[in-house]
């Protein structure tokens, strides 16, 4: 067998292996640890089903160990310091990394944000919205899956859109998810890009997970995450914003306008 033929055969095997390799590495952490990988995954979610999947990969075992420790220690449900005080080592091993965060929080990431280009229809979406319902993932069928009327309370999700075209998508993870005394607000922000009368692409630029972990203030920077930038059709009827995924799933998300604190509808001229 000639050397050239051997080289061609080896190249063919290599290309075949690449073709069978997943295009994207699953977002998991080894050793049952919760960390930035999980928060990036959560930052891309809108519905609770997606958040639960992100928390299931890597965090489930860590949270089970932490929960067992606090139960054995007899921590009272309203004692926010017991977990760090009596189960500090278990808590530190559950999250990655443990030391105080070097990154500073960006409380107003949309401040100074400027977007050039098409903005027709953006004025209808400006304000603050809270997720109220979402379709469940199901096998394709003729009729769309019904909206789930009861999203998890500890996965409260809000979407804020500014007149400049910046969006801020926030998901709250409380102690029911992260273990007693722990809480994070996972946020992604970027461009709310209106591409037509009823089309929009969320183009995240950055993100942070901010809160208390193991009794210490933490800021996890998510800028190294690969955000997806999903595309939707959208509609606004009175105080209801509906996003429908522009893909074969046609998943639907409904938001209700939050009154006050910047959530008022723009004044009509």
């Amino acid at each position: 067998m000639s050397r050239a033929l051997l080289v061609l055969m080896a190249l063919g095997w290599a290309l075949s292996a690449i073709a069978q390799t997943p295009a994207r590495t699953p977002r998991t952490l080894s050793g049952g640890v919760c960390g930035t990988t999980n928060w990036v995954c959560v930052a891309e979610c809108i519905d609770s089903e997606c958040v639960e999947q992100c928390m299931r990969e890597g965090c489930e075992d860590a949270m089970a160990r932490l929960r067992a420790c606090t139960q054995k220690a007899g921590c009272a449900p309203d004692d926010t310091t017991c977990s760090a005080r009596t189960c500090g080592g278990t808590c530190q091993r559950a999250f990655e990394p443990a030391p105080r965060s070097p990154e500073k929080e960006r409380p107003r990431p949309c401040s100074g944000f400027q977007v050039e280009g098409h903005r027709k229809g953006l004025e209808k979406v400006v304000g603050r919205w809270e997720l109220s319902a979402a379709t469940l993932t199901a096998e394709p069928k003729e009729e769309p899956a019904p909206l789930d009327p009861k999203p998890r309370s500890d996965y409260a999700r809000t979407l804020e859109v500014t007149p400049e075209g910046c969006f801020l998508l926030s998901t709250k993870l409380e102690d029911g998810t992260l273990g007693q005394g722990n809480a994070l607000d996972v946020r992604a922000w970027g461009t709310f890009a209106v591409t037509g009368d009823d089309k929009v692409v969320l183009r995240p630029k950055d993100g942070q997970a901010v809160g208390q972990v193991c009794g210490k203030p933490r800021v996890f920077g998510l800028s190294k995450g690969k955000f997806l930038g999903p595309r939707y059709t959208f509609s606004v009827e009175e105080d209801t914003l509906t996003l429908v995924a522009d893909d074969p799933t046609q998943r639907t998300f409904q938001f209700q306008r939050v009154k006050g604190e910047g959530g008022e509808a723009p004044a009509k001229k």
Side-chain angles (χ1 to χ4, degrees):
M1 188 177 296
S2 69
R3 181 180 179 85
L5 182 58
L6 286 173
V7 170
L8 288 174
M9 290 176 64
L11 179 59
W13 291 332
L15 292 174
S16 176
I18 291 172
Q20 297 175 32
T21 301
R24 195 171 178 188
T25 303
R27 290 194 172 100
T28 57
L29 290 169
S30 61
V33 177
C34 282
T36 303
T37 302
N38 301 94
W39 318 142
V40 169
C41 183
V42 170
E44 294 176 351
C45 291
I46 292 182
D47 62 297
S48 59
E49 187 178 11
C50 173
V51 176
E52 287 176 350
Q53 181 62 35
C54 294
M55 296 302 297
R56 195 174 299 130
E57 299 178 355
C59 293
E60 197 169 41
D61 292 342
M63 293 302 97
R65 291 192 294 269
L66 182 57
R67 185 162 51 249
C69 181
T70 54
Q71 289 175 350
K72 183 178 180 180
C75 293
D78 58 347
D79 189 343
T80 59
T81 63
C82 182
S83 176
R85 186 176 66 251
T86 63
C87 299
T90 303
C91 188
Q92 294 282 353
R93 289 189 293 273
F95 295 95
E96 168 266 352
R100 183 181 294 273
S101 305
E103 185 165 333
K104 292 184 178 180
E105 180 185 359
R106 295 182 60 183
R108 298 180 179 275
C110 283
S111 178
F113 201 96
Q114 293 293 331
V115 178
E116 296 181 0
H118 183 70
R119 294 192 192 180
K120 185 179 179 181
L122 178 63
E123 69 280 356
K124 297 183 295 185
V125 192
V126 170
R128 192 162 179 263
W129 307 83
E130 187 172 74
L131 184 71
S132 58
T135 54
L136 302 174
T137 301
E139 293 296 323
K141 53 184 180 180
E142 294 182 2
E143 295 296 326
L147 289 172
D148 177 9
K150 296 180 180 179
R152 284 185 53 154
S153 59
D154 59 334
Y155 289 161
R157 275 134 296 145
T158 59
L159 172 67
E160 185 174 347
V161 182
T162 72
E164 294 74 27
C166 176
F167 80 87
L168 175 62
L169 182 64
S170 302
T171 302
K172 289 191 178 298
L173 303 179
E174 298 179 352
D175 56 5
T177 300
L178 297 180
Q180 192 170 352
N182 301 316
L184 287 172
D185 185 8
V186 182
R187 303 177 298 164
W189 57 82
T191 303
F192 193 88
V194 178
T195 60
D197 290 342
D198 64 347
K199 302 285 186 181
V200 64
V201 180
L202 303 185
R203 295 174 178 162
K205 302 296 184 184
D206 209 338
Q208 288 184 330
V210 182
Q212 288 280 331
V213 174
C214 301
K216 296 181 179 180
R218 296 301 313 277
V219 179
F220 296 84
L222 309 182
S223 59
K224 294 181 180 179
K226 184 179 180 181
F227 295 106
L228 296 179
R231 182 185 301 271
Y232 302 95
T233 59
F234 74 94
S235 62
V236 178
E237 295 184 8
E238 296 183 351
D239 289 331
T240 300
L241 166 64
T242 302
L243 298 179
V244 180
D246 191 13
D247 60 30
T249 70
Q250 293 286 286
R251 295 205 63 197
T252 303
F253 308 96
Q254 283 187 349
F255 293 79
Q256 295 300 312
R257 188 182 294 278
V258 179
K259 300 295 186 179
E261 298 182 1
E264 300 90 344
K268 294 182 179 180
K269 297 181 180 180

